[in-house]
Amino acid sequence: MKIPWKMPWIEYNRRKVSGTEFIIDFLEEKLGVNLNKHLGLHERAISRAVTKMVEEHFYWTLAYCQWVDNLHETQKMLSLSGPFSDLLKWILCHLTKGIVKREMYGHGIGRFSEEEIYKLMEKDMRSLAGLLGDKKYIMGPKLSTLDATVFGHLAQAMWTLPGTRPERLIKGELINLAMYCERIRRKFWPEWHHDDDNTLYESEESSEASKTHTPLQDFSFYSRTETFEDEGTENSISQTPDTDYTGHSLFDSDVDMDDYTDHELCK
């Protein structure tokens, strides 16, 4: 039976909504929560353009890396149990590879060579790194829906493509993207730890006398790019690996759900 909805899709009070953009619009209307309310018209236009670059272009280069170029590593990551688990993983991976290659060809990006596809991927990643700069989030100090989109894609390069070109790039030259992913992971998924985590992170809630430590990956946690300078300020701000150029913590959440009253949530 052919499913008439586009993935992803949700069902809310018996109403089905498919497609990321329409799901976000629907939930914002129903719940009265808008992560983009702090953005101006120009910023919203930039946010939409970057979202489409990530969803309609960068996505396919990651799919190629995951399901075509590094299929063997992807197969090892799958978790299946049973006497025929290895065979099932092999079948699943190769079926997915065929689907991805066919879809990529129809999209157009699959008609390029492997090297050309990776060049396009690198351009997208450099564009994201340049847009992020030393900011806490893509559009500035506050979280927006664009961050959900960007993180969802960059997380693959960070944690599901070991030894690949996108992983080497994000953890090397484009270290600010790695910092960005870690900031979001630490704040919204504090229980999510990777097997290769090997550095210590001091809990924000702990006191100076009693620090708790959580193992995390060693990315140095500071950007290799220059921080923004305030020409009108004579006194320099002390910046640590866990603060931005204003001295504020890079790991503080800008999404304070207490700001929304019960009335607003029930609109």
Side-chain angles (χ1 to χ4, degrees), residues 181-198:
C181 288
E182 280 292 357
R183 281 199 290 277
I184 294 178
R185 183 179 81 155
R186 291 179 179 191
K187 187 60 189 179
F188 296 100
W189 292 277
E191 75 286 355
W192 171 18
H193 303 303
H194 195 263
D195 293 339
D196 295 332
D197 288 350
N198 55 16

Side-chain angles (χ1 to χ4, degrees), residues 113-129:
S113 67
E114 176 181 313
E115 187 60 29
E116 288 171 331
I117 291 174
Y118 278 118
K119 282 184 178 180
L120 294 174
M121 170 187 284
E122 182 173 336
K123 287 183 177 181
D124 287 345
M125 293 181 70
R126 290 188 182 279
S127 295
L128 292 173

Side-chain angles (χ1 to χ4, degrees), residues 99-238:
I99 294 172
V100 169
K101 291 183 69 175
R102 184 176 68 249
E103 295 292 332
M104 288 185 67
Y105 191 85
H107 175 278
I109 198 171
R111 304 176 190 227
F112 297 121
S113 67
E114 176 181 313
E115 187 60 29
E116 288 171 331
I117 291 174
Y118 278 118
K119 282 184 178 180
L120 294 174
M121 170 187 284
E122 182 173 336
K123 287 183 177 181
D124 287 345
M125 293 181 70
R126 290 188 182 279
S127 295
L128 292 173
L131 183 60
L132 175 64
D134 288 320
K135 299 193 299 294
K136 187 173 182 180
Y137 299 116
I138 297 291
M139 299 305 296
K142 293 186 177 182
L143 194 81
S144 68
T145 55
L146 175 58
D147 294 293
T149 299
V150 173
F151 174 79
H153 289 75
L154 288 180
Q156 297 180 60
M158 281 283 288
W159 295 296
T160 69
L161 297 170
T164 62
R165 293 170 65 169
E167 188 207 41
R168 293 195 300 270
L169 191 59
I170 195 174
K171 295 180 181 179
E173 187 177 350
L174 306 182
I175 192 69
N176 66 328
L177 294 181
M179 293 169 51
Y180 169 78
C181 288
E182 280 292 357
R183 281 199 290 277
I184 294 178
R185 183 179 81 155
R186 291 179 179 191
K187 187 60 189 179
F188 296 100
W189 292 277
E191 75 286 355
W192 171 18
H193 303 303
H194 195 263
D195 293 339
D196 295 332
D197 288 350
N198 55 16
T199 63
L200 296 178
Y201 167 64
E202 295 179 352
S203 172
E204 294 174 9
E205 290 76 15
S206 59
S207 64
E208 291 296 328
S210 177
K211 297 280 189 179
T212 59
H213 299 280
T214 301
L216 290 169
Q217 291 183 347
D218 183 9
F219 299 128
S220 299
F221 297 120
Y222 53 85
S223 177
R224 295 181 180 178
T225 59
E226 296 296 323
T227 57
F228 298 122
E229 296 179 358
D230 186 351
E231 297 178 355
T233 304
E234 293 181 1
N235 298 327
S236 62
I237 298 173
S238 176

